[in-house]
Amino acid sequence: AIYFYVKRRMKSIKELARPNVFALYNEKKIDTTLRDLENDIFLDKNEMPYNNTLSRYSFESNTQLNTALTKTFDIAPQQLLATNGSVEAIDLLFRSFCIPQKDNVVCLSPTRSFYSTCALVNDIEVKEVILDASFQLSHSDILKEINDNTKICFITSPNAISGIFFDINELKELLNKANCLVVVDESYGYYSEENSCVQLINTHPNLIVINSMSRTWGYASLRIGCIMAQADIISLLQVVQLPHTISPSNASKAINVLSDRYEKENWMRIWVPERNRLMQAFALLKDCEKVFTTGSNYFLVKFKNSLEVYRYLQSKGIKVKYVDLPPACEDCIRISVGTKTENSKLLSTLRQY
């Protein structure tokens, strides 16, 4: 069993999981036996025996996808679970650990809205820790909000609004002192060992890391994500996850992408300089007050009247995200970096404002 050191005693995974989920975890055994598609006879799954290319469930493709993902993130196979995007990962965590009308989760604000959506659906209280203007977390501020009913603390790094990575030392302090699961959602940033918490999993049993192929891999429509944690947590999540949530065709495409990182690395060489060019140009716009630093493929900007600028861009058919979440980002706009042509169109439109 996994144990978590808290203020006075150790806390087991049995105490963290929902009681009904843990009971299922004890009873249900996941069949990980690979099927031989060429030689075996399949009469156990109520599958149609004809149209063999599509009639079989996707056990093999998901196993192969897990293998490809573990190689990408340099983690043991039993420490990773492939999911239908990062949203399924978040949903799984709520359904596995949070008891409705009793437990709570801690979120940093501003952050991605899906945490609050899942909390509302599952009838879970959300306790917010407001980030300051630097968008940096304080482990001591977070610990003040954690109580005996806190099951999960969600941290998005880079931040979903600003693109700023959190201080790894603050994260370590939180991991060492928190009496709950700490989920670091890395799906908004480019994966690199320098910025990732994945390598902390072996030494921090309360750490869960989420990632996705939607953004910097550039394959949002594939809906491929993953959860990484110590083996007992992954085993628990496996019994809760719905079967076959990733289609074989999407799994196959993802495996091909992960096996050859050249395309992604090539895109990085294009959009990082393009992002920097765009940010520098924004800083020179007459009504621009501030361009925030970022570590991802989007950035935050503040105009004298950002809401008016947002409405103007909408009227011109240019979609950006308006953000008004004081004190960190009051009356701001988040810009996702597009192609060079799209970015030039954005700039020319703003120069006519």
Side-chain angles (χ1 to χ4, degrees):
I2 289 179
Y3 291 92
F4 303 98
Y5 288 91
V6 294
K7 295 175 182 178
R8 295 187 179 88
R9 62 183 179 85
M10 293 190 297
K11 202 172 189 179
S12 69
I13 192 172
K14 179 179 179 180
E15 295 170 287
L16 283 166
R18 290 171 62 171
N20 55 316
V21 170
F22 191 78
L24 181 65
Y25 167 64
N26 274 344
E27 295 172 7
K28 188 175 180 180
K29 302 300 179 183
I30 302 298
D31 183 7
T32 58
T33 305
L34 288 177
R35 307 196 302 177
D36 186 339
L37 296 178
E38 297 295 329
N39 300 309
D40 288 354
I41 297 175
F42 307 114
L43 304 176
D44 59 337
K45 302 293 184 184
N46 291 337
E47 298 163 319
M48 174 65 71
Y50 314 110
N51 186 26
N52 284 330
T53 58
L54 296 174
S55 65
R56 303 299 180 184
Y57 289 117
S58 55
F59 300 100
E60 289 71 29
S61 60
N62 283 359
T63 300
Q64 292 163 4
L65 175 60
N66 261 52
T67 299
L69 287 167
T70 57
K71 289 180 179 178
T72 298
F73 294 106
D74 191 22
I75 196 168
Q78 65 270 23
Q79 294 179 324
L80 183 143
L81 178 65
T83 60
N84 192 310
S86 61
V87 292
E88 188 198 11
I90 296 165
D91 176 64
L92 271 175
L93 293 170
F94 272 94
R95 290 191 291 114
S96 300
F97 293 102
C98 298
I99 301 173
Q101 298 184 355
K102 177 184 177 182
D103 291 335
N104 66 71
V105 298
V106 174
C107 295
L108 308 185
S109 180
T111 190
R112 68 185 298 180
S113 60
F114 193 69
Y115 307 138
S116 295
T117 300
C118 278
L120 185 62
V121 169
N122 290 278
D123 205 0
I124 303 298
E125 178 190 3
V126 176
K127 305 182 77 174
E128 286 192 340
V129 176
I130 307 300
L131 295 173
D132 62 20
S134 68
F135 285 94
Q136 281 300 331
L137 65 84
S138 164
H139 77 272
S140 58
D141 288 345
I142 296 172
L143 290 171
K144 291 175 186 176
E145 295 297 324
I146 293 174
N147 59 29
D148 288 341
N149 291 330
T150 303
K151 287 295 181 67
I152 304 172
C153 175
F154 285 101
I155 297 172
T156 307
S157 186
N159 182 269
I161 304 299
S162 69
I164 293 175
F165 285 93
F166 290 125
D167 185 337
I168 192 68
N169 292 319
E170 285 290 316
L171 282 170
K172 287 178 180 178
E173 286 293 324
L174 179 62
L175 287 165
N176 290 333
K177 297 175 181 178
N179 66 342
C180 65
L181 297 169
V182 177
V183 175
V184 180
D185 186 345
E186 298 183 349
S187 58
Y188 281 80
Y190 166 65
Y191 174 73
S192 70
E193 289 188 6
E194 178 184 356
N195 293 316
S196 178
C197 291
V198 171
Q199 303 309 318
L200 298 177
I201 287 173
N202 287 330
T203 54
H204 294 83
N206 57 338
L207 172 62
I208 298 173
V209 179
I210 296 173
N211 214 313
S212 164
M213 293 184 68
S214 295
R215 294 173 181 86
T216 51
W217 264 278
Y219 285 89
S221 64
L222 290 184
R223 308 306 305 134
I224 302 294
C226 63
I227 302 174
M228 291 167 280
Q230 291 199 358
D232 276 15
I233 292 176
I234 297 300
S235 296
L236 181 81
L237 296 173
Q238 283 178 320
V239 303
V240 179
Q241 185 180 36
L242 296 175
H244 319 298
T245 58
I246 301 172
S247 73
S249 59
N250 283 1
S252 178
K253 291 174 184 176
I255 291 166
N256 289 336
V257 172
L258 293 168
S259 65
D260 182 6
R261 295 173 65 104
Y262 173 77
E263 184 179 42
K264 178 191 172 187
E265 299 297 338
N266 188 47
W267 288 346
M268 291 292 297
R269 284 191 290 269
I270 295 172
W271 74 251
V272 170
E274 184 61 17
R275 178 197 65 192
N276 296 341
R277 177 187 79 90
L278 191 60
M279 292 174 67
Q280 291 167 7
F282 261 79
L284 298 175
L285 293 173
K286 63 178 182 179
D287 291 327
C288 179
E289 293 185 342
K290 183 176 181 179
V291 178
F292 293 75
T293 58
T294 183
S296 194
N297 63 333
Y298 54 91
F299 61 95
L300 201 63
V301 60
K302 182 174 178 61
F303 290 92
K304 290 179 180 178
N305 192 328
S306 296
L307 183 56
E308 286 187 7
V309 175
Y310 166 77
R311 288 170 174 165
Y312 167 72
L313 290 174
Q314 291 286 104
S315 72
K316 299 298 182 180
I318 298 176
K319 310 300 181 185
V320 294
K321 184 177 181 64
Y322 179 70
V323 183
D324 188 26
L325 296 168
C329 50
E330 184 175 5
D331 190 36
C332 294
I333 294 175
R334 191 187 71 184
I335 309 290
S336 297
V337 180
T339 64
K340 188 171 184 177
T341 300
E342 291 170 335
N343 297 334
S344 296
K345 175 67 174 178
L346 169 63
L347 288 170
S348 64
T349 302
L350 285 170
R351 286 166 182 148
Q352 297 170 33
Y353 173 68

